[in-house]
Amino acid sequence: MTKERIILGIDPGTTIMGFGLIKIVGKNMQFMQLNELDLKKYSDHYLKLKLIFERTIELIDTHNPDEIAIEAPFFGKNVQSMLKLGRAQGVAMAAGLSREIPITEYLPKKIKMAITGNGNASKEQVAKMLQSLLELKSLPKNLDATDGLAAAVCHFYNSGKINVGKSYSGWDAFVKQNQDKIG
């Protein structure tokens, strides 16, 4: 019997968090869902973090993913934006870690390269390639959802390869791998 696994991909953000789910059956990838959590109407940053955590837990409890792939924050010039994005990623990771789901981070360029063959591809190019690969009937208005889906597909393509990115199997592994940053 062919083993199935589900990968949840997340594009963290405090304005919009995008996510996508794929099912792997053998060596075949099947589209399950893509959507987003729209946080624009909330002004309280801590409330946004709470909602990101709760939505991630809800996705985990509903779909029981075997693995989570998350887009790592890119380094920009705006320190405040980086801090907010890092917090959004952190609470999404904490949700997965609280359910003991292995998490792998991917840089945006690595995700784009895995999907399109070009690390500098636009969001639109990534979305169109996903539409073709997964036979999606339409694309969402905001492409954060396809970015989340792209993280999941990137993880599938990198499964079994050595050095896929930072990977955490639980809190203990996270603490051990980040000892220098923690204390």
Side-chain angles (χ1 to χ4, degrees), residues 6 15 17 30 41 49 69 79 82 87 89 94 103 106-107 120 123 125 129 133 137 147-149 152 154 181:
I6 294 173
T15 306
M17 177 182 96
Q30 299 170 2
K41 63 184 172 200
L49 295 176
V79 177
M82 277 293 300
R87 286 176 176 168
Q89 182 197 35
I103 298 170
Y106 292 96
L107 292 171
N120 296 314
K123 280 180 168 284
Q125 288 170 315
M129 184 60 84
L133 283 170
K137 290 177 179 49
D147 285 351
L149 184 62
C154 172
K181 295 175 190 130

Side-chain angles (χ1 to χ4, degrees), residues 5-12 17-22 52-53 55-61 63-72 89-106 111 148-156 159 164-169:
R5 65 187 173 116
I6 294 173
I7 302 170
L8 168 61
I10 300 174
D11 176 28
M17 177 182 96
F19 58 88
L21 287 141
I22 57 173
I52 291 167
F53 184 86
R55 182 64 174 127
T56 305
I57 288 289
E58 181 185 326
L59 286 165
I60 291 167
D61 290 348
H63 299 285
N64 299 308
D66 299 287
E67 300 162 63
I68 295 174
I70 192 163
E71 186 174 305
Q89 182 197 35
V91 296
M93 290 172 77
L97 292 169
S98 75
R99 295 293 199 260
E100 299 185 6
I101 300 171
I103 298 170
T104 306
E105 291 179 83
Y106 292 96
I111 294 171
L149 184 62
V153 173
C154 172
H155 186 67
F156 168 63
S159 294
V164 293
K166 286 190 180 178
S167 209
Y168 311 109
S169 57

Side-chain angles (χ1 to χ4, degrees), residues 14 19 47 50 62 64 66 107 111 135 161 176-177:
T14 55
F19 58 88
L47 175 60
K50 178 181 181 278
T62 301
N64 299 308
D66 299 287
L107 292 171
I111 294 171
E135 300 173 7
K161 290 184 181 176
K176 190 183 267 183
Q177 288 183 37

Side-chain angles (χ1 to χ4, degrees), residues 9-11 16-21 31 33-37 123 127 130 139-151:
I10 300 174
D11 176 28
I16 297 175
M17 177 182 96
F19 58 88
L21 287 141
F31 170 74
Q33 179 185 5
L34 82 153
N35 210 331
E36 61 194 32
L37 173 62
K123 280 180 168 284
L130 287 171
L139 291 172
K141 183 176 65 149
N142 295 317
L143 298 181
D144 299 274
T146 51
D147 285 351
L149 184 62

